[in-house]
Amino acid sequence: MSGPLDGVLVADFSRVLAGPLCTMTLADLGATVVKVERPGSGDDTRSWGPPWSASSTTYFESVNRSKLSVALDLADDGDRALAQELARRADVLVENFRPGALDRLGLGYDQVSAANPGVVYCSVTGFGSGAGADLLGYDFVVQAVGGLMSITGDADGEPTKAGVALVDVLTGKDAAVGVLAALAGRARTGRGCRVEVNLLSSLLGALVNQAQSFLETGRPPGRMGNRHPSIAPYETLRCRDGLLAVACGNDGQFARLAAVLGAPELAVDERFAANASRVANREALVAALEELLAAEDSGVWQDRLTAAAVPAGRVGSVADGFALAERLGLAPTVAPTGGGTPAPRHPATYSTAMLCPAAPPPALGADGDRVRAWLTDPQCPPLVHPAEARPAQARPVQARPSREVS
């Protein structure tokens, strides 16, 4: 029932979204994650409602399953000493404090790695630890200043943010990749390292073709609504009852689209025969396609185009997305052991057992007594993943690679 990170202890000093998503990913893979929270209030997202859950909010629960929670006041000498001991024992430490803040508490990278040379220490910031160290990094602000909003929304409308805190999500995934890479490196050398990720860099890296277009031409891309700058038709088209997303990535798909719509001549029209000409004549193309699509509802066209191997789908809701995943047998949710509301599952599947069973997100300080006892009593059984029930003699979570540091 354990995953590949069984035996890895993660000290989670992060809050909100990017850091907690990273550590939840590690917990999904079997790591034991100890989430350190402020006494009384805990992670900021515990109060970010509605919607509310039984113990906090759905926002908090979305990125904090399968963790242990301990409330430590880092301004208190005793609690700070416990936090430092947790960092000394940890295989991985993840934090998103303002640069320099943890140094003043004896929890900075240099201090932790001096006592724990094998630690993988991951810092998540908004704008890095250099010239941008004093800038506050919230997803919405980074979407604005990093350019994502400038390419999102209608061409004649206002810049628009994504419908989810996408930059935080991307950064959390980058952080998880960085931690896993550092753990793999440590397995070879015995040495840990510092991993730094920041929201701005994760956003710019995720702009892919739009970023490369700017770097090649020097011209910043603009907003195109649901249209693609380099492909047509690759956009939403209006049908009798609503919108249909059509994505013709090559000329063969467009020819099949034209045939299904009953206008095969469009595929040999010199304005539309090749993708470059379709992009150049997009307005005329869309007008011709929407005139034909107006004959039927979007669901009818989706079925017909899908049968003809043309990528197309009606624009649905989040509920529709979950329902589709269920119909396709993709098991979109996981039901935590020990109760709790189902949650979106770890997105990857594996041909061998890799995932640890999920446990519900913890109540604030729910594991405080156990964590404090483990940090202070040498006879205390090791901490384990909250979904597991391992005996006291199980392998300690602070195990280190056997190879000596050269």
Side-chain angles (χ1 to χ4, degrees):
M1 299 294 284
S2 60
L5 297 186
D6 176 44
V8 172
L9 174 67
V10 178
D12 184 2
F13 286 86
S14 69
R15 64 270 191 210
V16 186
L17 205 167
L21 177 60
C22 167
T23 56
M24 185 178 76
T25 301
L26 303 178
D28 285 344
L29 295 170
T32 299
V33 178
V34 178
K35 184 176 179 68
V36 177
E37 302 189 68
R38 291 187 301 268
S41 57
D43 189 306
D44 294 352
T45 60
R46 285 188 183 274
S47 64
W48 285 9
W52 305 98
S53 66
S55 62
S56 55
T57 65
T58 58
Y59 201 121
F60 174 84
E61 295 197 346
S62 70
V63 288
N64 284 290
R65 66 169 171 260
S66 300
K67 300 179 185 180
L68 307 173
S69 172
V70 59
L72 296 177
D73 181 358
L74 299 183
D76 175 82
D77 290 344
D79 278 7
R80 186 167 60 254
L82 290 176
Q84 292 167 349
E85 176 64 14
L86 175 62
R88 188 189 69 79
R89 299 190 188 190
D91 295 280
V92 177
L93 186 151
V94 178
E95 61 89 14
N96 62 351
F97 281 70
R98 293 182 69 173
L102 286 185
D103 295 274
R104 295 188 289 273
L105 298 170
L107 288 163
Y109 172 68
D110 290 339
Q111 297 146 318
V112 172
S113 62
N116 180 4
V119 71
V120 171
Y121 189 109
C122 180
S123 295
V124 181
T125 65
F127 300 93
S129 57
D134 292 332
L135 301 176
L136 296 178
Y138 277 81
D139 176 276
F140 180 42
V141 174
V142 178
Q143 287 198 38
V145 301
L148 180 58
M149 289 176 62
S150 75
I151 58 172
T152 307
D154 292 331
D156 56 354
E158 292 186 353
T160 305
K161 73 176 182 66
V164 70
L166 185 62
V167 179
D168 273 337
V169 172
L170 294 166
T171 307
K173 291 180 177 291
D174 285 347
V177 171
V179 167
L180 293 173
L183 286 173
R186 191 186 75 171
R188 295 195 309 272
T189 68
R191 292 189 294 267
C193 72
R194 186 170 194 177
V195 178
E196 295 188 74
V197 295
N198 67 81
L199 273 66
L200 180 58
S201 293
S202 286
L203 168 58
L204 294 176
L207 293 181
V208 289
N209 61 299
Q210 296 282 44
Q212 195 63 42
S213 170
F214 163 68
L215 294 173
E216 180 71 27
T217 68
R219 296 190 299 273
R223 294 183 300 284
M224 296 183 65
N226 292 322
R227 294 179 170 182
H228 193 287
S230 307
I231 311 172
Y234 199 103
E235 53 210 285
T236 50
L237 299 171
R238 188 159 298 281
C239 303
R240 184 166 63 187
D241 69 334
L243 294 176
L244 181 74
V246 177
C248 288
N250 57 58
D251 296 340
Q253 290 174 345
F254 178 70
R256 294 196 294 275
L257 168 66
V260 170
L261 296 183
E265 67 276 7
L266 292 178
V268 294
D269 187 317
E270 63 179 11
R271 297 173 299 166
F272 311 136
N275 178 69
S277 58
R278 291 194 295 274
V279 171
N281 295 282
R282 188 192 300 268
E283 297 303 330
L285 173 68
V286 168
L289 294 177
E290 290 191 333
E291 182 178 359
L292 297 166
L293 290 166
E296 296 284 1
D297 290 347
S298 56
V300 173
W301 287 123
Q302 174 180 306
D303 293 341
R304 293 178 181 175
L305 292 171
T306 299
V310 176
R314 56 181 292 275
V315 178
S317 66
V318 173
D320 293 326
F322 274 96
L324 175 60
E326 288 282 4
R327 290 198 302 274
L328 297 177
L330 298 180
T333 60
V334 59
T337 60
T341 303
R345 67 166 178 83
H346 180 87
T349 58
Y350 306 90
S351 61
T352 187
M354 297 283 278
L355 298 178
C356 198
L364 176 59
D367 308 285
D369 291 344
R370 183 152 50 108
V371 173
R372 288 171 181 271
W374 177 72
L375 290 170
T376 56
D377 182 0
Q379 304 304 313
C380 186
L383 299 177
V384 295
H385 191 285
E388 297 181 18
R390 297 189 295 189
Q393 65 269 25
R395 178 161 55 93
V397 297
Q398 65 267 31
R400 291 282 183 261
S402 57
R403 182 179 297 181
E404 294 183 357
V405 178
S406 57

